[in-house]
Structures are given as structure tokens and as C-alpha cells.
């Protein structure tokens, strides 16, 4: 069953009583969402992943080796020299790798990531036998537990931990600064059966790893712990103690935590792809986040080569944590705590003349906001005065307050810090000849500088409005309140033109741009929203114009578009944008990358799905506001909304049947239920209906059930799947399929791609020119004329093609009718001889492939064609292609190898090979 498709559950699997109490068969339901692997994952974006917000591991084949890698990463492991900046001085640092090396040659896997138990289990298959494995990262302790049970032929397998040097993964783009003293090499020793690896740090503190192996009755148990301490040197003692005290109850403790976690809320939709994606994101979020853990950097707690080894605050960190609110998982939210604990760093991030009354947040920092330099200022020379990052992060903290109504968040964090971040804005306001307050030129993230920048105008409006409301809640008579009201009364309107929201005054939105910084007033701030009739045309024009520019659109472009469409109550558009994100960008394990791992985008897609099912901004709970027409049945249960309400609702046959609301804080409650006809309300004696909105007078701890008169079925259950989909992971190719992709990962030797951030990464043609990675397949494969090619478009600086130089490439032995080549020549067309390795000897074969800047010359097709070519000086408008060429084979003979031609100039570049079996 490991490779089965995502299928429907009968409604009877989650029967409930007449009061709607859910009795969901959680193990079965989540089992339907499990990821499976029946092909060996080649990289972090294909393989299983485990974690607990601190310790984390990703599992995939060791590149170029006959081994399986378990990465060993820890969210707190970083450098502590902020004077060298976030890319080096306070960057995340690698810990090590655990290698499982079999006796025989790796031939396959049969693995399942069990979401319910947060455990990886299954088999690693070789030509000498099998290794049954079970692995988990303990939910509450820094412990990786791996159990291996080999068959006889694999009894001599090896497990080896390899420590890595403590140097920033930014090295994939450039060398470290010359003045940055390297950290010492890690030191390994063994004490009382425990191996200790200690990494001392130049800045002080240490990272320590301890591991222990025990064998008994054909079973090998491996335990590993990591800790980081700064400035103290206590990590070594901590990991020794953690290993020594590990008990047999580890697995049951771990499972109890995860079972409690999942039960806090429930979502079920009839679209198997979206339903499983959503639950995998909740698993991912709980693997990567804890309220007590560091704010996640771009990679999450996992760490791979990346030019961005730190936390980014001009979108990434905010999007990472948006799903925690509606999913009722505030235990995963570190943002309010982190802001509260590090306020002096936010003061020191500004130039001295602003520190008396202001705070700011640099674009990218470590998880405590440390970095070199100052937040930009329009009054000082700066190419990108980006000053809105702190108020945007505070919006997350405000949402945490609104979803819990915990006044401590408001009093201790949101109000005092927002007050200071707003003061920073006030330095840059000027009264214009029109009598309006105007903002000096500031930076719209990733686009450019403009006066009256819409990004900052939206945040300033939200800040002043929120400060006034907060002061009223906290009974604070603030002397700045009059100034906040003045700003709201006199601040210039948002600059707009025929395309909708501009970047700022005089700067139209005029190029492909992945970021929705100019649309922040619409989403997530809702300062301009769809329920304002006068704003609808502006919102619609802006969304359409933003998406009309291809070239730099990325994954979070489409998740942002989905959430805006959901605000517009357009469920079909919202799900179309989500499906476009999945089709173009989501990797086999639901991870996402640009130049390196970027975790926020798939997590924000989970928020987009939540926005389709429930919204609660503006003091109104909207039930099923943007459900696609095809989703006739939907269930949500204990979804958390603003006002600290837990909401359950069921849609059956295209109609909302009932809504249940539980109040945790006794706040005013307004619900647009969407229920047709006369209503019955149970459990609440004070209620009214006006214009389709139910107003409930609920006290703290009280609950109301709203339903149509005559409704009797209040079952909360998983809905029946009407849109099946294959499982996430790497399921087996379809039975009887004729396509056999060849694994080229060990042979890749050229980087022919570069991203929009550095066109100098890679060199396809020997002249420094490359394909634009953003316009090539992002999802690990490309299909042309029914033929599947496994395509490598991974991290910055990773190899992605083979330069033909006479190499012999082993292929799965068998009889085939065609060899399909995904390839391109560089400086000219290639016509050269290679060889086919048949069982009875090699046979010469002619390879004929067109140069990348030309149209097909040898009857190829063009499955990949771009509108840009990257040069060392930047992108130029020029189509470059990768071609699909077909070579006929002798199906009467067994093929076991292909020898590529020896090409010098021009050169043949092979991106993928797929063999076709006889029909």
C-alpha cells in the first residue's frame, strides 16, 4: 500500500454524536496523507525530513556515493561575530552528516514518512539484501533515533557520523571575508561508549554532538544529540547527559506529543492533492518550529548550501508563521517572545540619532536580530532604505494577540515596540504643498526606491490605527495619540495608475516581480479590502497587472495571489493559483527552493488554503468565503480565529450545514455563516441576525451551535475525496510504464543555470552564460511527448548537466527501443559519435543535438525554452532551449551502458536520459 494513490475515506470513519463531537480516526486519516518513496531521493528537496524545531535531519542519497545521508542540523548552531554580517558573522553553521553505507549496491527504497507518528520507516534495498529502518527526531528532546535491521547479506553495513567544518554555507556563492578567522576544526573523542564531537568557536561557546551505537539480536540502535551554547561552553556536558539519560520510552513520549498536536484542529477537503499538502505543511511546521525555538531562517532548522544562511524579515519570516493561527498551533510561534526579549538589539539597529525613541529591524539577521550595519534611512546615503520590516513582523505578533486575546502580548510586545517603530517612520514624513503628509523615498522590497512607497504607506497606516486601538484596550493615555490620528487624517493616498497599485509616487509597477510588497495594503493588512466596494476595481486591476509579467514570478507569488483571490471570494481562482504553485514549484516532498532552500512559500500555501475556508479579519468571521465550486463537501474543526474563537463548520452538497463557535475570551462575535434560510442557534440566548451576519453574545468558555432550521446531522468527519491525486514523495513509476529515467546524479559535472540574484553562478558555454533557473522546470522533472525526464534544477552552484567527454554511463540493464536525450550543445551544433553498450559488445551511435541559442536543427522538440539568457553582465532578452532528441535502439539486445561522445568545442550537455521499453 506504500505507493497507493490518495483515496477517499468513508464518512463513517469519523462518526460523531448529535452535538458534533468529532471522533476522527486520526491514524487512518493521516495515513492517507503520508509521503512515500519507492525511488531513491537524490537531494534534500526530494527526501524525507524530520525535526523538532531545534534538531533536524533530511534523508537522501549521498551525492556521488553508494550511501544514504542523514543530515545532522540544529537551529541554534550559528556563529556569533555580528561585525561580519548575517551572511558570515552570525550565519547558521553546519553540524555534520550521518552516512548509512550498505554492503551491496543501492538499487531502491520503500519508505514512508508516517505523519501521525512523525517517524520514517521502510526499507533500503541493495543487490545484497535489505536494511529495514525506523527513524525519528524526538519531539521534545535533542535526540535523533535510528534503528536498522539488516538482512544477512547486509549485516556488515556501516553507520558513520562525519562532522563538518563550522563555516557558513554562503561559500557556494563566494569565499569568506579574509578577516574572518576560521573556527577551529571539530575534535572527536570517545568516553564510556559515547562518541563526542566538540566544535569550539572563535567567538566563544561551542557546539557538541554525542552519539552512541548499540547492537542486539540483529538490530542496531543509533542515538545522536546536538547542543549549542554561547557564550558558555556547556554544550558538551548537555549532549553527554542527554544520551546517557535516554530511556526506552523515547518513542512513546515522542508519539504522544505528535498525537496531541494533530488533534488541536482539523481540516478536510475533497481535493486529495490540496488536503495532503496542507497536512504535510502542518507536519513540516511542527518539525521546524517551536515557540521556544529560534525564528526559522530561510532553510528552516535544516541546513543545505545556500547564499541565505540567516533569517529574512522582508517577507520570509512573516510567511513562515502565518499558518499557526488558524490551525490553532500558537505553541509553534516564537515571534512575540523573540521581539520581547531582544528590544535593545532593535534599538541598536538604528543610527545613534534615532535610538532615543525608535526601533528598527534589519532585512536579514540571526534569530535574535543581530547583524552588522544599520537599518536604512532616507536621510542617509543608502541604495535601499528598507524600513518596514519591523512593523510587518509586529503584524504577526498582533495576529497572535488577536487570535488569543492575550493582553500580555499587546502590553509587553506589540504596543511598546510598534510605538517605537512608528516613531522611526515619523522622522521621514514631510508636509507637501497639497496639505498631505508624504513619505521620503524608501525601498519597496526587491523592487526599488520610491517616495510615498506603497509598502511603507500601508504599514504606517496599519501601525497608527493599531496603536490607537491598542492604547484604548490597555487604558493608556499616550501623548503621541494625537500624532497618530494626524497621520491617519493627513497621510497621502496610495499612489495608483492604470495598472493598479504603483511601487510609489512616480514609480509604476513595470517589470516582473515575485514580491507583493506593493500590495501589502490589500494582503495581509486588509487596509484596502474587497468589502470596500470602492476598492474592488483597484484590487482586481492590481492583481491582474502584477501577474501579467512573467520572468521573475516565484512560488510565493502564487500563494499571495491565492490569498488575495480568497479575499475576493473567488475560490476557483484561489485554487487555480495554488495548483499553479504546486505544478511549477513544489518539490516531491513539498519543499521549495530558489537559490537554496526557502521554507516560507509552501507554508504560506497552507495559509492560502486556510483563507479559502475561513477568514476573520476586520471583526467578522467568514465561513467558507472562497470554496471552489468543485469542493461540495468541506469540514473544519476547532479552527482558531481573531477574537479567540474556536470554530467548526461543515459543508455538504455545496451548502453550509452548521457552524459551531466556542469563545475563549468573551469577545464580541460576528459570523457570516453562509447558511441558507431561517436559523436556529443553540447554547446562546443573546443573538441576532442582520444582513446575513449572526451576532452572538458569548461569554468566556461559552459555545453556540448555528444551523438551518430542521438540520439534524452535526457529524464532523473527513470528507469524501472527489479529486484523487498521487501521493507526495517519489512513488513508483506507473506499472507497465515504458519510461525508465537514468540516474545521472553521480556524473553531473557542469552548472549551466543561474538565478535572478546572481547571474555569475554557473557557466554553460565557457563564456559565463547560463540558462535562467527561474524559467526552467522547478519540480524535479519535465515531461515531453509523454516521456518523463528527471531534471536537476537545485541549489545555487549545484551541478545540473553532464558535459559529454567520452564518459560511459551505466543504465538499468534491459531491452529498450529508444533512448531519449534531454540535451543542448553550447557554442554550436554537435554531431559526434558515442557508443551503446550492449551485452554482445558496443555499437557506435551518432548524437546530433542543436546549439542552445538556435531553433531545432535535427528534428528535436523543445520541452524547455526560455525568454532570457543570463550573461555575466546580467539577463538579456534571448531564447535559449534544451532539446529532446531520440536515438533508436536495438530492442533485441540488452543495453547496460551508454558512452557519450567526446566533445570539445562545441560541447554536448546532457541534462537527462530516459530509456523507453517496448510497448
Amino acid at each position: 500500500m506504500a505507493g497507493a494513490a490518495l483515496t477517499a475515506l468513508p464518512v463513517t470513519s469519523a462518526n460523531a454524536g448529535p452535538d458534533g463531537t468529532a471522533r476522527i480516526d486520526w491514524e487512518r486519516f493521516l495515513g492517507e496523507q503520508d509521503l512515500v518513496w519507492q525511488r531513491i531521493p537524490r537531494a534534500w528537496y526530494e527526501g524525507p525530513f524530520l525535526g523538532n524545531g531545534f534538531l533536524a535531519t533530511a534523508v537522501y542519497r549521498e551525492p556521488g556515493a553508494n550511501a544514504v545521508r542523514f543530515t545532522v542540523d540544529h537551529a541554534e548552531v550559528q556563529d556569533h561575530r555580528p561585525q561580519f554580517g548575517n551572511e558570515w558573522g552570525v550565519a547558521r553553521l553546519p553540524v555534520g552528516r550521518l552516512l548509512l553505507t550498505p554492503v551491496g549496491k543501492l538499487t531502491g527504497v520503500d519508505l514512508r514518512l508516517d505523519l501521525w507518528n512523525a517517524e520514517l520507516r521502510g526499507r533500503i534495498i541493495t543487490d545484497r539484501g535489505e536494511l529495514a529502518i525506523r527513524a525519528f527526531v524526538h519531539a521534545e528532546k535533542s535526540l535523533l533515533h535510528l534503528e536498522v535491521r539488516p538482512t544477512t547479506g547486509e549485516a556488515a553495513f556501516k553507520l558513520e557520523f562525519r562532522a563538518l567544518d563550522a563555516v557558513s554555507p554562503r561559500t557556494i556563492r563566494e569565499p569568506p571575508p579574509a578577516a574572518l578567522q576560521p573556527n577551529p576544526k571539530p575534535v572527536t573523542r570517545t568516553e564510556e561508549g559515547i562518541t563526542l564531537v566538540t566544535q569550539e568557536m572563535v567567538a566563544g561557546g561551542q557546539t557538541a554532538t554525542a552519539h552512541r551505537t548499540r547492537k542486539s539480536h540483529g538490530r542496531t540502535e543509533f542515538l545522536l544529540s546536538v547542543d549549542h551554547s554561547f557564550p558558555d561552553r556547556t554544550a558538551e556536558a548537555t549532549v553527554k547527559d542527554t544520551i546517557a539519560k535516554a530511556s526506552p520510552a523515547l518513542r512513546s513520549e515522542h508519539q504522544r506529543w505528535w498525537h496531541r498536536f494533530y488533534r488541536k484542529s482539523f481540516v478536510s477537503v475533497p481535493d486529495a492533492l490540496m488536503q495532503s499538502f496542507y497536512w504535510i505543511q502542518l507536519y513540516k511546521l511542527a518539525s521546524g518550529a517551536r515557540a521556544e525555538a529560534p525564528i526559522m531562517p530561510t532553510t528552516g532548522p535544516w541546513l543545505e548550501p545556500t547564499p541565505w544562511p540567516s533569517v529574512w524579515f522582508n517577507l520570509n519570516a512573516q510567511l513562515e508563521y502565518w499558518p499557526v493561527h488558524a490551525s490553532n498551533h500558537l505553541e509553534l510561534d516564537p515571534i512575540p517572545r523573540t521581539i520581547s526579549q531582544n528590544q535593545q538589539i532593535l534599538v541598536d539597529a538604528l543610527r545613534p540619532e534615532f535610538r532615543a525613541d525608535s526601533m528598527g529591524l534589519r532585512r536579514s539577521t540571526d534569530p535574535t536580530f543581530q547583524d552588522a550595519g544599520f537599518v536604512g534611512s532616507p536621510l542617509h546615503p543608502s541604495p535601499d532604505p528598507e524600513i518596514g520590516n519591523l512593523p510587518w513582523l509586529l503584524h504577526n505578533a498582533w495576529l497572535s494577540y488577536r487570535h488569543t486575546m492575550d493582553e500580555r502580548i499587546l502590553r509587553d510586545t506589540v504596543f511598546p515596540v510598534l510605538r517605537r517603530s512608528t516613531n522611526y517612520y515619523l522622522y521621514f514624513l514631510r508636509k507637501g504643498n497639497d496639505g498631505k503628509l508624504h513619505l521620503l523615498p524608501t525601498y519597496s522590497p526587491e523592487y526599488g526606491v520610491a517616495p510615498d512607497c506603497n509598502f511603507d504607506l500601508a504599514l504606517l497606516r496599519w501601525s497608527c490605527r493599531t496603536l490607537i486601538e491598542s492604547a484604548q484596550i490597555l487604558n493608556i493615555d499616550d501623548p503621541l495619540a494625537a500624532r497618530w490620528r494626524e497621520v491617519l487624517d493627513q497621510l497621502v493616498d496610495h499612489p495608483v495608475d492604470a495598472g493598479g497599485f504603483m511601487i510609489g509616487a512616480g514609480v509604476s509597477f513595470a517589470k516582473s516581480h515575485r514580491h507583493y510588497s506593493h500590495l501589502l495594503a490589500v494582503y495581509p493588512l486588509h487596509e484596502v479590502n474587497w468589502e470596500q466596494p470602492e476598492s474592488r476595481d483597484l484590487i482586481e486591476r492590481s492583481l491582474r497587472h502584477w501577474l501579467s509579467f512573467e520572468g521573475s514570478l516565484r512560488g510565493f507569488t502564487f500563494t499571495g495571489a491565492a490569498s488575495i483571490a480568497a479575499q475576493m471570494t473567488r475560490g476557483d481562482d484561489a485554487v487555480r493559483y495554488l495548483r499553479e504553485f504546486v505544478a511549477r514549484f513544489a518539490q516531491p516532498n513539498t519543499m521549495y527552493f530558489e537559490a537554496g532552500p526557502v521554507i516560507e512559500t509552501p507554508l504560506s500555501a497552507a495559509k492560502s488554503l486556510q483563507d479559502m475556508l475561513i477568514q476573520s479579519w476586520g471583526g467578522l468571521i467568514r465561513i467558507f468565503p472562497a470554496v471552489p465550486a468543485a469542493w461540495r463537501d468541506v469540514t473544519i474543526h476547532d479552527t482558531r480565529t481573531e477574537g479567540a474563537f474556536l470554530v467548526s463548520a461543515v459543508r455538504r452538497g455545496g451548502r453550509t450545514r452548521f457552524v459551531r463557535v466556542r469563545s475563549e475570551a468573551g469577545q464580541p462575535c460576528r459570523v457570516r455563516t453562509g447558511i441558507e434560510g431561517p436559523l436556529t442557534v443553540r447554547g446562546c440566548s443573546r443573538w441576532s441576525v442582520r444582513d446575513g451576519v449572526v451576532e452572538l453574545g458569548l461569554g468566556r468558555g461559552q459555545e453556540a451551535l448555528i444551523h438551518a432550521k430542521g438540520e439534524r446531522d452535526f457529524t464532523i468527519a473527513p470528507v469524501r475525496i472527489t479529486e484523487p491525486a498521487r501521493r507526495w514523495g517519489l512513488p513508483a513509476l506507473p506499472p507497465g510504464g515504458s519510461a525508465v529515467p537514468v540516474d545521472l546524479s553521480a556524473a553531473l559535472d557542469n552548472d549551466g543555470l543561474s538565478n535572478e540574484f546572481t547571474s555569475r553562478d554557473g557557466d554553460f558555454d565557457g563564456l559565463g552564460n547560463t540558462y535562467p533557473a527561474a524559467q526552467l522546470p522547478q519540480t524535479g522533472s519535465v515531461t515531453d511527448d509523454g516521456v518523463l525526464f528527471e531534471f536537476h534544477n537545485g541549489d545555487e552552484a549545484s551541478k545540473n548537466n553532464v558535459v559529454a567527454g567520452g564518459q560511459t554511463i551505466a543504465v538499468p540493464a534491459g531491452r529498450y527501443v529508444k533512448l531519449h536525450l534531454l540535451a543542448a550543445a553550447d557554442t554550436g551544433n554537435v554531431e559526434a559519435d558515442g557508443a551503446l553498450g550492449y551485452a554482445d559488445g558496443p555499437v557506435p551511435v551518432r548524437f546530433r543535438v542543436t546549439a542552445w541559442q538556435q531553433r531545432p536543427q535535427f528534428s528535436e522538440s523543445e520541452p524547455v525554452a526560455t525568454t532570457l539568457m543570463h550573461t555575466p553582465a546580467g539577463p538579456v532578452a534571448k531564447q535559449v532551449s534544451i532539446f529532446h532528441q531520440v536515438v533508436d535502439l536495438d530492442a533485441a539486445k540488452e543495453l547496460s551502458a551508454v558512452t557519450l561522445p567526446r566533445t570539445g568545442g562545441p560541447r554536448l550537455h546532457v541534462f537527462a536520459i530516459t530509456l523507453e521499453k517496448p510497448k
Side-chain angles (χ1 to χ4, degrees), residues 759-776:
S759 60
R760 294 180 179 274
D761 171 43
D763 182 359
F764 178 75
D765 59 359
L767 303 173
N769 300 316
T770 53
Y771 293 91
Q775 293 191 16
L776 270 63

Side-chain angles (χ1 to χ4, degrees), residues 438-492:
H438 293 264
L439 194 61
L440 295 177
T442 57
Y443 187 70
S444 184
E446 300 189 356
Y447 195 101
V449 175
D452 293 334
C453 173
N454 269 324
F455 173 73
D456 289 303
L457 290 180
L459 286 166
L460 179 53
R461 275 197 174 87
W462 172 81
S463 296
C464 290
R465 202 180 314 279
T466 302
L467 285 168
I468 291 169
E469 181 179 347
S470 300
Q472 291 172 345
I473 294 168
L474 297 171
N475 294 315
I476 294 174
D477 184 11
D478 197 293
L480 286 174
R483 179 63 166 153
W484 302 331
R485 285 190 288 269
E486 178 191 14
V487 171
L488 290 176
D489 291 340
Q490 299 183 19
L491 190 63
V492 66

Side-chain angles (χ1 to χ4, degrees), residues 216-297:
S216 176
H217 301 97
R219 168 180 172 271
T220 297
E221 180 194 60
F222 180 86
L223 279 179
L224 179 144
S225 181
V226 178
D227 190 60
H228 179 79
S229 58
F230 175 83
D232 299 328
R233 298 173 64 250
T234 58
E236 186 178 286
T238 298
V239 293
K240 284 171 61 178
D241 188 62
T242 301
I243 292 289
K245 291 182 177 178
S247 74
L250 287 176
R251 179 174 279 110
S252 61
E253 296 169 353
H254 166 76
Q255 291 178 356
R256 278 196 300 272
W257 187 95
W258 279 93
H259 297 172
R260 288 194 302 268
F261 167 80
Y262 285 122
R263 289 188 173 106
K264 293 190 72 173
S265 66
F266 182 71
V267 166
S268 182
V269 298
D271 183 326
L273 182 75
M274 290 295 117
Q275 177 171 272
S276 60
F277 181 89
Y278 177 80
W279 284 98
I280 293 166
Q281 300 326 296
L282 287 193
Y283 164 80
K284 183 189 297 177
L285 191 55
S287 297
R290 295 287 188 278
E292 65 274 18
I295 295 177
M296 288 188 288

